[in-house]
Amino acid sequence: MTDGVLTPEQILGAAEDVLRRYGPAKATVVDVARALGVSHGSVYRHFPSKAALREAVTERWLDQAHASLVAAVEAEGPAVPRLGTWFAVLFAAKRAKALKDPELFATYMVLVHESSGVIERHIQGLVGQIERILRDGIARGEVSVEDPPVTARAVFDAMNRFHDPAYAGEWARPGIEEAFDAVWALIERGITRRRR
Amino acid sequence: MTDGVLTPEQILGAAEDVLRRYGPAKATVVDVARALGVSHGSVYRHFPSKAALREAVTERWLDQAHASLVAAVEAEGPAVPRLGTWFAVLFAAKRAKALKDPELFATYMVLVHESSGVIERHIQGLVGQIERILRDGIARGEVSVEDPPVTARAVFDAMNRFHDPAYAGEWARPGIEEAFDAVWALIERGITRRRR
């Protein structure tokens, strides 16, 4: 492969392969360069350090479900069911990652703990999407909450069991769908505007 | 110390000291017996195996906050604020454990992962207390929920950030009290009966 066509996306893809193969403790920038058939200098031209490359890989992995989540944010129709769909999409994406490729998932858990800044930004992005749906619901007269950013974070926290990787061990257990529905029903009732 | 007066409670106290001193990987029944000045046979008379002793220590530690929680369950007055107090007491107890004696806390995290049966029983006990408060609230006309045991578990899940040790790292951060209040406000609204 010639250097001229090397894109950040190609480097990130190769880095993920290398991480999957060697594990987070052993994977190096030289391994990534070798996998791409380029010098490690070519990799450093895009990512100034090993830490920067690992952060970028982590961020890309965390953001993979974003496209389908944004679709739920921007969909037409009542806000409260849209927020329910948003959480169902988030849960499905996280479960698929944890259950279909558990080794890569474990690798990413290590990376996520390395770069708390990345995870903070990721969470802020997700909470921002919840806030947009809540504000839309307020505008439509369907939602009543006092402080949209605070409630957005509270809703995110309340659904922790269905998106926080700390609970990944429970995501294949029978009854987890019903547990999701029960917590969501509680939140749904907590944010819906009461008609007088 | 003579064997005649050795109580299970004394053994559990000594076992906790030994665990704190040697860590969960190294602590043995012989260490516990030595700390009490008795033979290891005397310990085995009360706890048939090292695993049984460790489980009993873990259970005692998990149940330490129970007395104050039961007080909240059995208190007089409106059910919804009582449930809020119950969660505040639970959070305070967990935080105190995690922040005041972090080494012992880490030790117990290891023990808890060893004995999933103990943690399951502990959670069932807590969810049962929530259910009692919800049922009392229904009887008093203050609470409206469709399925009390299912909602009790959902409420417990929704408050995970404020009792699950997986989040212990966040419990000393500024803003955690406000986060508690925000999630609780959501649940409060989700369970309170709407007057027509």
Side-chain angles (χ1 to χ4, degrees), chain A:
Chain A
M1 181 181 288
T2 66
D3 236 51
V5 298
L6 194 62
T7 65
E9 193 52 34
Q10 284 173 314
I11 296 171
L12 294 174
E16 185 170 288
D17 285 346
V18 164
L19 281 162
R20 186 190 275 115
R21 217 177 318 148
Y22 300 111
K26 289 187 186 164
T28 67
V29 172
V30 172
D31 296 326
V32 176
R34 193 176 296 135
L36 290 162
V38 301
S39 72
H40 62 273
S42 311
V43 176
Y44 283 124
R45 209 164 299 141
H46 290 276
F47 299 97
S49 66
K50 179 175 165 178
L53 176 56
R54 286 165 85 107
E55 276 204 11
V57 171
T58 308
E59 196 147 28
R60 188 181 79 136
W61 185 75
L62 286 169
D63 289 349
Q64 259 160 13
H66 265 206
S68 36
L69 288 172
V70 168
V73 174
E74 289 171 356
E76 301 286 318
V80 176
R82 216 189 309 153
L83 187 57
T85 302
W86 187 92
F87 273 110
V89 169
L90 181 65
F91 187 32
K94 297 259 178 174
R95 272 176 104 179
K97 278 185 193 171
L99 304 177
K100 282 185 192 152
D101 198 345
E103 281 177 30
L104 186 65
F105 192 76
T107 291
Y108 274 105
M109 288 306 96
V110 174
L111 296 185
V112 162
H113 280 115
E114 266 174 23
S115 46
S116 57
V118 170
I119 184 81
E120 258 323 304
R121 273 201 301 285
H122 175 70
I123 290 178
Q124 276 168 22
L126 294 176
V127 172
Q129 294 191 5
I130 299 173
E131 189 186 332
R132 273 185 58 192
I133 303 178
L134 290 178
R135 285 191 188 279
D136 188 38
I138 294 168
R140 297 171 61 104
E142 297 155 4
V143 165
S144 157
V145 303
E146 275 178 32
D147 187 336
V150 169
T151 302
R153 176 67 205 224
V155 170
F156 184 75
D157 286 348
M159 293 295 284
N160 268 346
R161 195 177 171 200
F162 313 104
H163 59 72
D164 189 324
Y167 297 100
E170 303 181 1
W171 293 346
R173 287 197 202 152
I176 192 74
E177 305 275 359
E178 289 77 9
F180 176 101
D181 292 343
V183 177
W184 172 248
L186 206 53
I187 293 170
E188 199 173 20
R189 234 179 139 228
I191 61 171
T192 300
R193 184 171 160 224
R194 301 172 184 210
R195 317 232 160 239
R196 287 152 208 275

Side-chain angles (χ1 to χ4, degrees), chain B:
Chain B
M1 185 180 288
T2 67
D3 237 51
V5 298
L6 194 62
T7 64
E9 194 52 34
Q10 285 174 313
I11 296 172
L12 295 173
E16 186 171 287
D17 285 345
V18 164
L19 281 163
R20 186 189 275 115
R21 214 175 322 147
Y22 301 112
K26 289 186 185 162
T28 67
V29 173
V30 172
D31 295 325
V32 176
R34 194 177 296 136
L36 290 163
V38 301
S39 72
H40 61 274
S42 309
V43 176
Y44 284 123
R45 210 165 299 141
H46 290 276
F47 299 97
S49 67
K50 180 176 164 178
L53 177 56
R54 286 165 84 106
E55 276 203 12
V57 172
T58 308
E59 196 147 29
R60 189 182 77 137
W61 184 74
L62 287 169
D63 290 349
Q64 259 160 12
H66 264 207
S68 36
L69 288 171
V70 168
V73 174
E74 290 172 355
E76 301 287 318
V80 176
R82 215 190 310 155
L83 188 55
T85 302
W86 187 92
F87 273 110
V89 169
L90 181 64
F91 187 33
K94 296 258 178 175
R95 273 176 104 179
K97 278 184 192 172
L99 304 178
K100 283 185 193 151
D101 197 345
E103 280 177 30
L104 185 65
F105 192 76
T107 291
Y108 274 105
M109 287 306 96
V110 174
L111 295 184
V112 162
H113 281 114
E114 266 174 22
S115 47
S116 57
V118 170
I119 185 80
E120 256 324 304
R121 273 200 303 284
H122 175 69
I123 290 178
Q124 277 168 22
L126 294 176
V127 172
Q129 294 192 4
I130 299 173
E131 188 186 333
R132 273 185 59 194
I133 303 178
L134 290 178
R135 285 192 188 278
D136 188 37
I138 294 167
R140 297 171 59 103
E142 297 155 2
V143 165
S144 157
V145 302
E146 274 177 33
D147 188 335
V150 168
T151 302
R153 177 67 206 224
V155 170
F156 184 75
D157 286 348
M159 293 294 284
N160 268 344
R161 195 177 172 202
F162 314 104
H163 60 71
D164 189 325
Y167 297 100
E170 303 181 0
W171 292 346
R173 287 196 203 151
I176 192 73
E177 304 276 359
E178 289 76 8
F180 176 101
D181 291 343
V183 177
W184 173 248
L186 206 54
I187 294 170
E188 199 173 20
R189 233 178 140 228
I191 61 172
T192 299
R193 183 170 162 225
R194 299 170 187 213
R195 316 234 160 237
R196 286 150 208 276

